[in-house]
């Protein structure tokens, strides 16, 4: 059996990357037990937009899914955090530590009036799920950002990341020497970031920046 479908106006999420999809407009083809997402465009959370292409192959005993996912202007919010792996969500929580920022502001509120915690990012991910491995989804790809405010408890100094990219895979988050990230601190402070954040077995992460 084969055919094509056009789905318009629906909403939903992908089980292994549960970012909200609204106003879905998609073209899907199928042949026996292989489904191809020829095109899927949707509204994400906030002002973000989502596009997905890829395949879901159920011809063997275990489902195999390969998707290319792009999200533009995704807010660094709860919806994004809930869609990420435990390791990536842990990094996000630690870099957007509102409690630490409030404590820092109490010491010198005037110095941080122009600082905004968070922002939006662009995701360009490949998602792979193999039902035979029983390990959820593998995520490999890039995260792009511009003017994102972060603060970490181990370095309680708010900084704003300029335009930059990081690489994500199953082992961690990588900032290479060529793509060092420039940042601005309060006042006229500037600096650079490079290194990596390594994922560990308990779902957390260890920075080496």
């Amino acid at each position: 059996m084969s055919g094509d479908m056009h789905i318009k106006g629906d909403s939903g999420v992908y089980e292994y990357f549960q970012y909200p999809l609204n106003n879905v407009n998609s073209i899907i083809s199928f042949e026996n037990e292989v489904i191809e997402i020829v095109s899927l465009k949707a509204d994400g959370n906030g002002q973000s937009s989502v596009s997905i292409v890829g395949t879901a192959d159920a011809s063997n005993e275990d489902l195999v899914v390969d998707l290319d996912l792009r999200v533009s202007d995704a807010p660094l919010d709860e919806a994004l955090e809930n869609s990420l792996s435990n390791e990536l969500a842990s990094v996000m929580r630690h870099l957007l530590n509102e409690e630490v920022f409030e404590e820092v502001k109490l010491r010198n509120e005037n110095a941080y009036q122009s600082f905004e915690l968070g922002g939006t990012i662009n995701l360009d991910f490949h998602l792979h799920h193999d039902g035979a491995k029983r390990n959820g989804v593998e995520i490999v790809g890039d995260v792009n950002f511009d003017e994102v405010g972060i603060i970490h408890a181990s370095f309680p100094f708010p900084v704003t990341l300029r335009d930059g990219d990081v690489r994500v895979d199953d082992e961690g988050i990588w900032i290479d020497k060529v793509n060092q990230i420039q940042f601005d601190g309060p006042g006229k402070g500037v600096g650079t970031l490079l290194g990596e954040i390594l994922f560990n077995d308990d779902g957390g992460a260890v920075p080496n920046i």
Side-chain angles (χ1 to χ4, degrees):
M1 180 183 295
S2 62
D4 300 286
M5 295 186 295
H6 184 193
I7 301 173
K8 188 173 183 179
D10 234 343
S11 62
V13 295
Y14 169 49
E15 179 180 2
Y16 293 104
F17 192 91
Q18 297 192 6
Y19 196 66
L21 302 175
N22 301 299
N23 302 315
V24 173
N25 190 349
S26 65
I27 299 173
I28 296 174
S29 66
F30 59 92
E31 184 168 356
N32 296 322
E33 295 178 301
V34 178
I35 298 171
E36 179 184 3
I37 301 174
V38 178
S39 171
L40 186 153
K41 297 185 183 300
D43 297 329
N45 212 40
Q47 300 299 312
S48 66
S49 59
V50 183
S51 67
I52 300 173
V53 297
T55 59
D57 186 347
S59 57
N60 296 314
E61 182 176 349
D62 294 293
L63 178 68
V64 177
V65 178
D66 282 286
L67 301 177
D68 290 320
L69 167 79
R70 291 180 174 86
V71 185
S72 300
D73 298 320
L76 290 164
D77 59 10
E78 185 177 3
L80 179 60
E81 181 183 330
N82 290 341
S83 70
L84 298 173
S85 65
N86 291 336
E87 296 85 355
L88 287 171
S90 174
V91 172
M92 181 174 165
R93 285 192 300 272
H94 281 87
L95 293 180
L96 301 174
N97 197 318
E98 293 187 21
E99 183 178 342
V100 171
F101 180 50
E102 291 301 320
E103 292 175 357
V104 169
K105 279 201 304 184
L106 287 175
R107 296 197 292 269
N108 191 350
E109 185 169 358
N110 292 333
Y112 307 113
Q113 286 183 343
S114 63
F115 176 80
E116 293 187 14
L117 189 63
T120 62
I121 61 175
N122 303 314
L123 308 176
D124 188 355
F125 284 165
H126 179 77
L127 311 180
H128 174 76
H129 168 72
D130 185 343
K133 296 181 179 179
R134 312 296 181 189
N135 61 346
V137 65
E138 299 172 7
I139 299 176
V140 177
D142 299 296
V143 178
N144 169 263
F145 45 82
D146 188 11
E147 301 296 318
V148 169
I150 64 170
I151 187 170
H152 194 285
S154 63
F155 185 70
F157 184 71
V159 299
T160 301
L161 305 179
R162 301 179 193 170
D163 181 36
D165 297 273
V166 297
R167 184 71 174 170
V168 174
D169 61 25
D170 281 351
E171 296 183 354
I173 301 171
W174 311 89
I175 311 168
D176 62 37
K177 293 181 180 180
V178 175
N179 296 316
Q180 295 180 28
I181 299 170
Q182 308 295 316
F183 67 81
D184 298 314
K188 297 182 179 180
V190 296
T192 60
L193 291 175
L194 70 157
E196 62 270 343
I197 300 174
L198 302 177
F199 300 151
N200 54 34
D201 293 337
D202 64 4
V206 179
N208 181 24
I209 302 293

